Amino acid sequence: MVLSKAVSDTDMSVHSTFASRYVRSSLPRYRMPENSIPKEAAYQIINDELMLDGNPRLNLASFVTTWMEPECDKLIMASINKNYVDMDEYPVTTELQNRCVNMIAHLFHAPLGESETAVGVGTVGSSEAIMLAGLAFKRRWQNKRKAEGKPFDKPNIITGANVQVCWEKFARYFEVELKEVKLREGYYVMDPDQAVEMVDENTICVAAILGSTLNGEFEDVKRINDLLDKKNKETGWDTPIHVDAASGGFIAPFLYPELEWDFRLPWVKSINVSGHKYGLVYAGIGWCIWRNAEDLPDELIFHINYLGADQPTFTLNFSKGSSQVIAQYYQLIRHGFEGYRNIMENCQENAMVLKEGLEKTGRFNIVSKDEGVPLVAFSLKDHSRHDEFEISDMLRRFGWIVPAYTMPADAQHVTVLRVVIREEFSRTLAERLVLDIDKVMYQLDALPSNKLTPPAAAAAALLPAATLVEKDVVVENGVAKKSELEMQKSVTEALKKLALANKTNGVC
Amino acid sequence: MVLSHAVSAGSSDDSVHSTFASRYVRAALPRFRMPENSIPKEAAYQIINDELMLDGNPRLNLASFVTTWMEPECNKLMMDSINKNYVDMDEYPVTTELQNRCVNMIAHLFNAPLGETETAVGVGTVGSSEAIMLAGLAFKRRWQNKMKAAGKPCDKPNIVTGANVQVCWEKFARYFEVELKEVKLREGYYVMDPEKAVELVDENTICVAAILGSTLNGEFEDVKMLNDLLVKKNEETGWDTPIHVDAASGGFIAPFLYPELEWDFRLPLVKSINVSGHKYGLVYAGIGWCIWRSKEDLPEELIFHINYLGADQPTFTLNFSKGSSQVIAQYYQLIRLGFEGYKNIMDNCRENAKVLKEGLEQTGRFNIVSKDEGVPLVAFSLKDSSRHDEFEISEFLRRFGWIVPAYTMPPDAQHVTVLRVVIREDFSRTFAERLVIDIEKVLHELDALPSRGGPPSLTSANANGDAPSERDIERQREVVAIWKMAVLAKKKTNGVC
């Protein structure tokens, strides 16, 4: 029997999302909505709002991978519902993690026998890896001091002032004093001599960075090792080294294989690297490798019977996705040594292209070195009228996200712009960026300096170019002055004109 | 100009071969060192995909509370945002905004004392482990500051919990050098006893941690009673000991199934709550939330304001870079389902848990250890474990494809072993009924098998101290024969995960 429906009350599910009522109500921002909405509407609304985020691939601020091959995307999606910590239920995924640890340990020349298993762990990123490494150092040092009957309540760690914030987090959260070696103009990494000088009996380790976030430079780990070796012989303190190779760990072995920075140096006891930087995996994976089992106190390792099987773990996080671990393994076997080397060489080439393009403008000093992480850090030769923050702002209108920031103490007066060259930053993009920076410089040259704050000065600077409104001239003390209001109006007019002239440029 | 290729065999371009025709499936992948050369992406995909087939099926993993299914629309959103680094707040302001909205929504769900448009104090984390460490850190720092101001020693902080706590509390205690004072369980009482807990509180206690949804049997601890007893003790001592509620599982269940239950910020001493977005928040693994009652409960000195990627970013997390997908997925779930959607799903889970429970009771072979109120799961143990134990049942179930863990209770109830099935959103009634059928099959098989407690060895003396007799040897042979038959019978019909 055929039922006929009144046409007035069309079933809500017939409407396309943009015809439905769901796009007319604003989503609550503070409380969960009372009712459900169709999944298509939920998808559309969120997808659309997210269009206003920056484009990850144009985010030149970040070291973190923003592109992977579709085959890998497929693997990632297929394993997105696997909880990594269920080792008993997902033995292959666990095995893949172990293989990655072994491969990376060998990449870092860990002193292992041919089929000896490396000591290491997959983490959510270098922050977690560094906290684990720091914890291991702290506990080893405490045990040593207790055995000697000495106080162990004031541990400290030596780093450069250029350390990434996670070291400061480690220090603050785990109650270790951070002794920072200050930078100076022209020297933006940790000075090995000063670092070793600061070592005392409470130092749990010296942390060196392979690939400083500020300018990509590799610290001289070998020198630190040699100086520390000497000092340790004199003092008997056995102070070890940790290398924060978050960026550099997947660059140095391929571009600078002769550079001794890893376990080839005897005092290096642990290394962390971000799988999601030059390991070429999306955000959410890091690795911490220890030289050998002695460097990781067993009391920190948990053996748990949580989901029905024995699971040894040393991580801060418990449940997390498996996708990034699988993606890391994919990259390691898909590329192999030659693939990684090719990619790093391309990055370095494109960094050179960008650097040379910037040098040709004649307006910039290059602060980054040629060796190190493929990035270009640069600052203006002349700061008198505009600064790097303005360049950064104006580049956004073209779609580029290029951060500007000041150096840490004692070089706070130095500001740099930094472009990180990732795997997918092709030469085309490098050349286009140079063109756009040229355009920005040109526009800035035409603008008054933001540094002259009084509106009168700004108005004065604009006078020759702007059309002024001549009414309401007030005569004071015999001088014809524009009223405050008129002054503001003329400034606004001039800026408006400039803005309209710019409207042709793309916005991200 | 057309080029002609020589057709000689064996020299075809490698890229022509299908993966399984190529040499890539003949070479063993190195397991300890990176391979020297690259391989085609199709080969890499195929090899890894195929090996992963031998992992368990996540949806049949009844051990886990963590979400294993989401709608395709949400999967799409997740894939689109997989290359967004969550920590780049300046570059991805909308994603950051979505995180803030989630925090606000969850804070209101927990009845945080907020004004209508007041922003809640909370943070998205990778899971409840990170959330608990952050909450614990906040308590530790507050307590240290308090003790320093009072001129008292602050070197021996402790935290009071039940022995049923999830391992991340023990991690927190061990890594952050806080003593863990555990209230022991006892047979029949598998959660923290509020009275005993409050008794253990001393002036070095940084907080008392209650669990809403114990991992062992899903039970909700009586947070209200804990609060009331602690209020009384605080009045007497002046120590102001606060409460943290570990609502990893229960946080997204209680508000929908038991809205009258007072366990959250409605209780004045509850200062922070953590919940796993990836459990009953219905998002894949990798997202948790920690909410504080108010700003005062989160010491400013723990918060980092950094100029890292060109903008000021206040952060209080252990992890830095991580993916954005799960945060977006959490927001999707909150607005897609809304209050009614979550309630419906939790109602369904509870119903299906009941179906499973009743099915198990009907076999007459099990004691049900879990309660009806709490997390929708069924924990059960054998009435008679003299011949076979729960671990064997767990093993046998694997052959059917089910992953059902067995484990022993913590002290002082270590002699109790349970099997536990967690009812997640995607565990339909069909599954519940099928599982009961398969458990019955397993029991049937086990009944036919000799006890693993083991037949006496042939070479050792028998019970009377005499040398093994003719009869003993014959019996041994029979036992072996039966085992053999049972194993062979299995080999043919049962699915393997």
Side-chain angles (χ1 to χ4, degrees), chain B residues 135-153:
Chain B
L137 249 184
F139 282 122
K140 186 181 181 197
R141 195 54 59 91
R142 284 206 78 190
W143 174 84
Q144 283 171 331
N145 292 343
K146 185 180 77 172
M147 296 295 268
K148 278 187 206 159
K152 294 192 183 158

Side-chain angles (χ1 to χ4, degrees), chain A residues 97 121-126 128-129 132 273 284-288 315 317 320:
Chain A
Q97 190 235 199
V121 75
T123 63
V124 164
S126 276
E128 185 185 358
L132 295 176
V273 65
I285 181 90
W287 303 95
C288 194
T315 55
N317 299 295
K320 61 193 181 202

